[in-house]
Amino acid sequence: MPARTSWRRASAALVAVAAIIVLVASCSALGSLSSAGSGPTANNGSGSAANGGSVDSIGSQAADSSSPAAPTQSSAPSGPPYPIGSVKLTVDEPNRTVTVDGQTGERVIPTLVRYPARTGQAGQDKPGASPLGGTFPLVVFAPGYLQCGSTYGPLLRSWAAAGFIVAEVTFPLTNCHVAQPRESDILNEPYDISSVITQLLADNADPGSPLYEMINPKKVAVAGHSDGGDTAAAVAFNTCCRDARVSAALIFAGAELSSFGGSYFPQGSPPALFVQGGADTVNVPTDTLKLYDADQAGPKALLWLDGGTHLSPYEGSGPAERIVARVTTDFLRMTLLGSSQAAKSMAQEGDVSGRSNLTTSRMPSVDG
């Protein structure tokens, strides 16, 4: 598959998934459309619940979990892994509109937020659980085309259990429930990510919000897979829609997209971890290698997964997924928390004979 020069990312597997979704999906697109005209520096229309968004209160049923039962924590743990609480919010932007395929409308972005909690069951979300206390870095995650955040559950929970606030975004026109998905809407999705960051930080400062004072506003990362990886890369590294609040980025099977416009990797770009499966036929390895090589601005790392395909290293709990979970957690701890121990651990966890290897550049605590 040649490197992509437009927004379209197609494969036989994803086309088949799309056909199944069209036949069985009973719900329509989650919300209406949004605008490519307002960038992350404007943050138009976004904010706390009082400014147009809504947040379920702590104590409500905010998420489901299908993980096997585990012993309930009887007291707040002193260190990770932490129990995981969750709460749903909706980013509703009445002042931000966009036209896609001739239809114009506002943007509504459902988001599930996971956070370290005082009590709960290992490996599961506890909707409305009492927060652990203290502030934690924020990671905003962008799923791939026709994917929902729930498929990445083990990975996202591993970050929350390690001490991060993890926001799982549902894109309105490309998620797994949409009967008529529009992949071209990827051009609007970087602004969705910035809007989610804006609302979360506003709620963090709002005494009436269940997220009050849970987030460290100076420690924000973005992450994404496939089209979501393209989106996260645009938010972190492209002048088209760069968000200066982002201080680290994880790009899984991503690529540069000329359709975004702008230019990639200006000076001051944040540290990056790129992850790529060697047997990925959707985002071919050369796409990620091109992205990694083009990054001459900041610290960077490349996790290469021998035999890794497009989905399996990120959506499950097999050997490759466990490597990704460990290395990405180390990267987040290193870049957002300044942990030198995490830097050493990342180098060790990324090099697994017959499974993976890690390449780094300009990472002071890793490269000496």
Side-chain angles (χ1 to χ4, degrees):
M1 179 177 179
R4 295 161 300 140
T5 56
S6 69
W7 57 264
R8 187 72 181 167
R9 187 194 292 267
S11 72
L14 290 183
V15 169
V17 171
I20 293 171
I21 291 173
V22 169
L23 289 173
V24 303
S26 59
C27 56
S28 59
L30 297 175
S32 32
L33 311 176
S34 107
S35 110
S38 62
T41 55
N43 296 316
N44 293 332
S46 184
S48 66
N51 294 324
S54 63
V55 184
D56 290 350
S57 62
I58 296 293
S60 65
Q61 294 300 306
D64 297 324
S65 175
S66 58
S67 301
T72 300
Q73 297 280 351
S74 58
S75 60
S78 59
Y82 300 113
I84 303 167
S86 63
V87 63
K88 286 181 178 178
L89 63 82
T90 300
V91 178
D92 187 358
E93 302 179 277
N95 297 326
R96 181 174 168 236
T97 60
V98 68
T99 300
V100 176
D101 295 342
Q103 298 184 31
T104 300
E106 298 172 2
R107 200 67 156 188
V108 177
I109 312 165
T111 304
L112 175 65
V113 181
R114 295 182 174 93
Y115 54 87
R118 294 183 62 82
T119 61
Q121 294 181 319
Q124 294 189 27
D125 303 340
K126 184 177 181 180
S130 297
L132 182 62
T135 60
F136 303 92
L138 170 66
V139 184
V140 180
F141 180 77
Y145 181 58
L146 297 182
Q147 304 296 297
C148 284
S150 58
T151 60
Y152 305 91
L155 175 61
L156 304 187
R157 290 187 185 97
S158 72
W159 296 343
F164 298 90
I165 308 292
V166 182
E168 171 192 305
V169 174
T170 299
F171 292 122
L173 301 180
T174 59
N175 69 78
C176 66
H177 300 297
V178 179
Q180 296 180 328
R182 298 167 188 164
E183 196 175 6
S184 59
D185 193 50
I186 191 175
L187 298 182
N188 300 306
E189 291 174 353
Y191 308 106
D192 293 344
I193 296 296
S194 286
S195 295
V196 168
I197 294 172
T198 296
Q199 176 157 321
L200 286 172
L201 296 185
D203 286 320
N204 184 63
D206 180 1
S209 165
L211 302 177
Y212 181 53
E213 293 188 338
M214 292 173 60
I215 300 170
N216 184 336
K218 296 183 178 180
K219 302 292 185 180
V220 178
V222 292
H225 169 238
S226 193
D227 278 12
D230 302 348
T231 297
V235 174
F237 309 123
N238 192 314
T239 58
C240 72
C241 26
R242 184 182 177 197
D243 193 320
R245 297 170 296 185
V246 172
S247 50
L250 303 101
I251 312 301
F252 307 148
E256 293 186 14
L257 292 191
S258 60
S259 298
F260 283 129
S263 58
Y264 283 84
F265 303 111
Q267 287 299 313
S269 291
L273 171 60
F274 304 96
V275 183
Q276 178 65 41
D280 189 338
T281 59
V282 178
N283 187 85
V284 294
T286 52
D287 287 351
T288 289
L289 293 174
K290 178 181 177 182
L291 197 62
Y292 179 80
D293 290 341
D295 184 0
Q296 298 297 317
K300 63 181 180 179
L302 171 65
L303 177 62
W304 186 268
L305 301 166
D306 296 339
T309 61
H310 190 60
L311 299 178
S312 63
Y314 322 103
E315 300 183 353
S317 55
E321 287 87 347
R322 291 195 293 272
I323 291 172
V324 171
R326 289 192 293 263
V327 172
T328 54
T329 299
D330 287 335
F331 175 81
L332 291 171
R333 291 178 59 231
M334 178 182 68
T335 56
L336 298 182
L337 299 177
S339 171
S340 58
Q341 181 58 45
K344 297 177 182 178
S345 177
M346 185 177 77
Q348 295 171 354
E349 300 283 8
D351 283 316
V352 179
S353 178
R355 292 194 180 277
S356 65
N357 61 78
L358 184 73
T359 303
T360 63
S361 177
R362 300 186 298 275
M363 292 269 186
S365 50
V366 177
D367 298 322

